[in-house]
Amino acid sequence: MAIRKLVLDTLEDDDYELIAIHSSLASYRLAFLLNKTLNLKLFRKKKDINFEYGDLVANFPLYQYDDHFQYNTYSLLGNTFRIKIASEKSVSQGLFTETEDTYVTKYLIPELKNVDYFLKIDAESFAESTKSIVTKILDISQVITAYSIAYATLKSKNNLIFE
């Protein structure tokens, strides 16, 4: 009796560009500056990207713009989620007792912990090169650095699929 093995190679990777942005700005401020610099209309989605880590739910901000004329979708994603967890330990010093607060930090893409934001560009065909977009982003004075990333090399690239 012959053993048959079916291989499903029909699943293709999405075709998108990924730009890493290092900046200490709040997400709404960075979205405003990207709108101004790149002539986009990024807006905050009603639902953030949510991931569950045990009993903790991490919310990553998502700003998106659909360019219907060039068939592009721009998504600005936050990479860091930080929450304060009050511990039950209390330290007493004299008359006062203080509770020690601990912080938990989760990342959308854990292998790129230093990146603050990602700009994901889904496109049918890339009319504007990624290098020119990165150059325009670097013109923003509050952006420390920006560069293109090969998303195929990321271990947690499935976290970038949110639709």
Side-chain angles (χ1 to χ4, degrees):
M1 178 176 210
I3 297 175
R4 294 184 185 199
K5 182 178 175 184
L6 297 176
V7 178
L8 296 176
D9 287 336
T10 59
L11 297 175
E12 296 179 11
D13 288 337
D14 291 336
D15 189 25
Y16 60 87
E17 295 291 324
L18 190 63
I19 299 172
I21 301 173
H22 295 261
S23 177
S24 60
L25 290 172
S27 59
Y28 66 90
R29 184 72 178 143
L30 181 62
F32 172 77
L33 292 172
L34 288 175
N35 286 342
K36 190 174 171 184
T37 305
L38 300 175
N39 295 323
L40 301 178
K41 295 176 183 162
L42 292 167
F43 65 94
R44 180 88 184 245
K45 296 291 279 189
K46 290 182 181 178
K47 291 188 176 184
D48 291 339
I49 300 171
N50 299 325
F51 284 104
E52 292 184 10
Y53 299 98
D55 58 344
L56 177 70
V57 177
N59 301 319
F60 299 98
L62 172 63
Y63 293 80
Q64 204 165 38
Y65 168 59
D66 292 321
D67 186 1
H68 297 290
F69 295 111
Q70 295 181 359
Y71 303 109
N72 295 342
T73 301
Y74 297 88
S75 303
L76 178 65
L77 311 158
N79 189 36
T80 307
F81 176 76
R82 188 171 185 195
I83 189 167
K84 179 172 74 169
I85 299 175
S87 66
E88 297 175 5
K89 272 193 217 176
S90 60
V91 178
S92 62
Q93 296 177 346
L95 296 173
F96 304 103
T97 57
E98 297 178 6
T99 58
E100 292 182 12
D101 295 329
T102 58
Y103 290 91
V104 175
T105 304
K106 297 293 180 184
Y107 299 97
L108 183 66
I109 306 294
E111 54 266 22
L112 297 172
K113 292 181 179 181
N114 293 331
V115 176
D116 297 313
Y117 298 99
F118 293 104
L119 182 64
K120 179 182 171 186
I121 305 169
D122 290 312
E124 294 288 326
S125 63
F126 292 100
E128 189 174 8
S129 72
T130 307
K131 289 182 182 181
S132 65
I133 293 174
V134 169
T135 304
K136 289 178 184 178
I137 292 172
L138 288 172
D139 288 340
I140 300 172
S141 62
Q142 291 91 342
V143 171
I144 298 167
T145 189
Y147 49 90
S148 182
I149 294 177
Y151 67 89
T153 61
L154 297 175
K155 291 179 185 175
S156 56
K157 65 183 172 185
N158 290 338
N159 292 353
L160 296 171
I161 301 171
F162 46 84
E163 294 180 16

